[in-house]
Amino acid sequence: MKNLIRFGRRQNGQALILAMIMLAIGGLIIGPLVGLVTTSLNVGRNVEIQVEDYYAADAGVEHALWEIRQDPQDSSRVPVMVTDFREFNLLTPTNGETVHVKVTKQASNLYKVESSSTGTDSNTLITAFIISTNLNIFDGAMVASNDITLKKDAYINGDVFALGEFDAQGGLIHEDDNDGTPEIIENAAGLVFPTAQENAAFALGFKTEALVGGTITGNYKINDPPGASITVDFGPKYITGNLTTDKNIIINLHGTIYVEGTIDIGQDTLIQGTGSIVAVGNIGFEKIGNYGTNPTGNDLIFSVNGSIDFRKEADLEALIYAPNGGISFKKEAEIIGSVICGQGIDIPEDISADKNFSIIYNPEYKDTMNLPGFNPTAVRTWNITAAP
């Protein structure tokens, strides 16, 4: 019993020793730990500053890219002659940084863009080289990947681009209210047309619009309604087959029509109203008038894989687009918008002499009809360094 008491007495003070050891270890650890936390905070702060610098400099490159896309021939936006340069600051500081941009023209379609962001703690320079085709297919009143032939008197207000030749066999009045300088560019090597995948992605948006009004399975014909009325309200609608119409009726369009087959508008049938008309195959109109009065300029007649044929009068405001086929007008036509095709544009001799053919370019399509993924102006190289 006495031995047990002595043993217990010998344990007195051991807890204090353990506590002192723990305090010593804590003292050794806490210093480096505080240093690590401080370093981490500083690194995080520096990374945040660098990211802000990067995005500020990136904004300068994006602004230069936007200017080049708007009009590479406008000296107030971009340098026009090789070796020329243009410098500017972004009007509004980005992330608190001052952004300075210098654009130098290296070749006929190559630009060097140097965008530097300057802040209180760090500076970033982005150097990018941008390739521009100089010609966007949505910039012209008439655009074709082959020839454009006008066999009778015509009036064109806007630019004309063709990968082939432009042949105005009759009288031609050519103006351009947008920039005052009407251009006709033949054998336009800088003209780039979208790929099949880009056009398919473009068409998908219109299919989605049409599906809002429901689906018609198989072929469908819009018939002459019974009674005295000859007017039919139609659209939006998605049709899995072909679309045809009866004779001598008026179709009031109230939304997008998307047809997986072909569209054939019958004899003396008038189609009017607003909403895009899209078909995977050919589109043929006997008569179209008072169509596309939407002031935002976003009505479209679009044949994804076929041609578009106007057999009689055409009076419309729309973008007429056949990237894989031709477009022809066989009677008088008055168009506000743009005509773009992947083959040739043909205006035969039987155009009426009293109205003739006229087209006035609507620049609204330049922004509203950009194809997903289609980018005739692109960044080719990208380098990030510290600004000098």
Side-chain angles (χ1 to χ4, degrees), residues 58 61 92 151 157 163 169 197 199 203 208 221 225 243 248-249 258 288 301 313 330 342 350 373:
D58 176 67
V61 175
T92 304
K151 297 180 180 176
N157 193 315
L163 284 177
Q169 299 176 2
Q197 291 80 8
N199 282 313
T208 302
K221 183 176 183 179
L243 174 64
N248 304 313
I249 61 173
Y258 189 100
I288 183 168
I301 299 174
E313 297 87 349
K330 294 185 172 64
D350 60 355

Side-chain angles (χ1 to χ4, degrees), residues 8 12 19 73 77 80 141 155 157 159 174 185 215 226 228 239 243 245 260 321 355:
N12 293 340
Q73 303 302 319
R77 295 182 180 274
V80 175
Y155 170 76
N157 193 315
D159 295 328
H174 191 196
I185 301 178
T215 300
I239 301 171
L243 174 64
T245 71
E260 292 289 353
Y321 184 47
K355 289 187 177 179

Side-chain angles (χ1 to χ4, degrees), residues 65-219:
L65 184 60
W66 182 84
E67 294 280 12
I68 294 170
R69 285 174 175 169
Q70 293 306 300
D71 190 352
Q73 303 302 319
D74 185 351
S75 59
S76 67
R77 295 182 180 274
V78 293
V80 175
M81 304 299 292
V82 175
T83 71
D84 281 355
F85 65 89
R86 178 174 177 253
E87 294 184 90
F88 59 89
N89 289 339
L90 295 189
L91 296 179
T92 304
T94 305
N95 295 333
E97 308 279 329
T98 299
V99 180
H100 180 77
V101 182
K102 180 179 179 180
V103 182
T104 306
K105 191 163 187 177
Q106 303 275 298
S108 60
N109 64 341
L110 177 64
Y111 300 86
K112 179 182 179 181
V113 178
E114 299 167 283
S115 177
S116 59
S117 62
T118 304
T120 56
D121 295 303
S122 69
N123 304 322
T124 299
L125 171 66
I126 294 178
T127 303
F129 288 88
I130 295 174
I131 294 287
S132 173
T133 64
N134 295 333
L135 297 177
N136 190 323
I137 62 170
F138 294 104
D139 289 349
M142 303 182 75
V143 182
S145 67
N146 205 333
D147 298 334
I148 299 175
T149 304
L150 310 180
K151 297 180 180 176
K152 194 68 176 179
D153 295 345
Y155 170 76
I156 300 173
N157 193 315
D159 295 328
V160 178
F161 310 140
L163 284 177
E165 295 182 353
F166 177 82
D167 185 9
Q169 299 176 2
L172 172 64
I173 298 175
H174 191 196
E175 301 175 339
D176 192 345
D177 291 339
N178 292 297
D179 61 13
T181 306
E183 288 187 294
I184 296 176
I185 301 178
E186 300 178 285
N187 304 308
L191 192 62
V192 177
F193 277 78
T195 65
Q197 291 80 8
E198 288 164 345
N199 282 313
F202 187 42
L204 184 60
F206 297 98
K207 182 177 178 179
T208 302
E209 291 179 7
L211 282 167
V212 172
T215 300
I216 297 175
T217 302
N219 298 331

Side-chain angles (χ1 to χ4, degrees), residues 250-322:
I250 299 173
I251 301 173
N252 286 329
L253 194 60
H254 296 287
T256 296
I257 299 172
Y258 189 100
V259 178
E260 292 289 353
T262 63
I263 295 176
D264 189 6
I265 305 301
Q267 181 179 353
D268 292 326
T269 291
L270 178 66
I271 184 167
Q272 59 188 22
T274 61
S276 295
I277 301 171
V278 182
V280 175
N282 295 329
I283 299 177
F285 293 98
E286 196 71 19
K287 185 177 182 181
I288 183 168
N290 196 29
Y291 166 74
T293 55
N294 192 327
T296 59
N298 59 4
D299 287 320
L300 178 80
I301 299 174
F302 177 19
S303 172
V304 182
N305 294 323
S307 297
I308 302 175
D309 187 19
F310 295 89
R311 297 185 288 264
K312 286 191 176 180
E313 297 87 349
D315 180 8
L316 64 151
E317 297 183 22
L319 177 82
I320 305 169
Y321 184 47

